[in-house]
Amino acid sequence: MPRTAAPDGAEVYFIEPADGATVSQTFTVKFGLKGMGVAPAGVDMPATGHHHLLVDGSVLPAMDAPLPMTDQIRHFGKGQTETEVTLQPGKHTLQLLVGDKNHVPLDPPVISKKIEITVK
């Protein structure tokens, strides 16, 4: 499947929680995006994409195909920039990945650094 070119300098990051944070079982995750815009899935606008939240992913998904929708790969195809997440107590990792109108990661991938949180 063809991949959409990422805008030069595009970055995705977590506004909250911070890396190393301790959070309640249900907590807010806010997504940050720099150098491009957010558009819902299916909308074909230049320099835009939408968020996917990778939860406890030990291996990155394929970058040349639409991202599957699973408990570990959560889609925000309506253009959401924050969400409420509920996780079991313990340590977890979170990572953001931007997809194009077809849920395919951009080329090169616009992906955040992986953060670790502790759910109390």
Side-chain angles (χ1 to χ4, degrees):
M1 180 162 239
R3 292 176 66 194
T4 302
D8 287 339
E11 294 178 33
V12 64
Y13 56 93
F14 289 96
I15 296 170
E16 67 177 61
D19 189 21
T22 298
V23 298
S24 301
Q25 277 191 270
T26 299
F27 59 98
T28 300
V29 179
K30 294 184 180 180
F31 317 141
L33 189 59
K34 179 179 159 186
M36 62 183 297
V38 175
V43 173
D44 190 8
M45 290 179 60
T48 65
H50 65 277
H51 296 285
H52 298 84
L53 178 63
L54 310 180
V55 179
D56 294 330
S58 56
V59 176
L60 287 174
M63 296 291 152
D64 60 354
L67 294 164
M69 190 178 298
T70 68
D71 283 344
Q72 287 188 311
I73 303 173
R74 301 183 187 192
H75 288 241
F76 297 93
K78 294 179 183 173
Q80 304 97 309
T81 58
E82 67 178 68
T83 189
E84 293 287 311
V85 174
T86 301
L87 295 174
Q88 293 298 313
K91 291 199 178 293
H92 296 275
T93 62
L94 302 175
Q95 194 167 22
L96 291 168
L97 177 59
V98 178
D100 69 8
K101 66 182 187 279
N102 297 314
H103 303 280
V104 177
L106 302 175
D107 186 18
V110 177
I111 190 165
S112 73
K113 86 174 188 112
K114 189 182 284 190
I115 66 169
E116 186 174 281
I117 58 166
T118 301
V119 176
K120 58 183 175 183

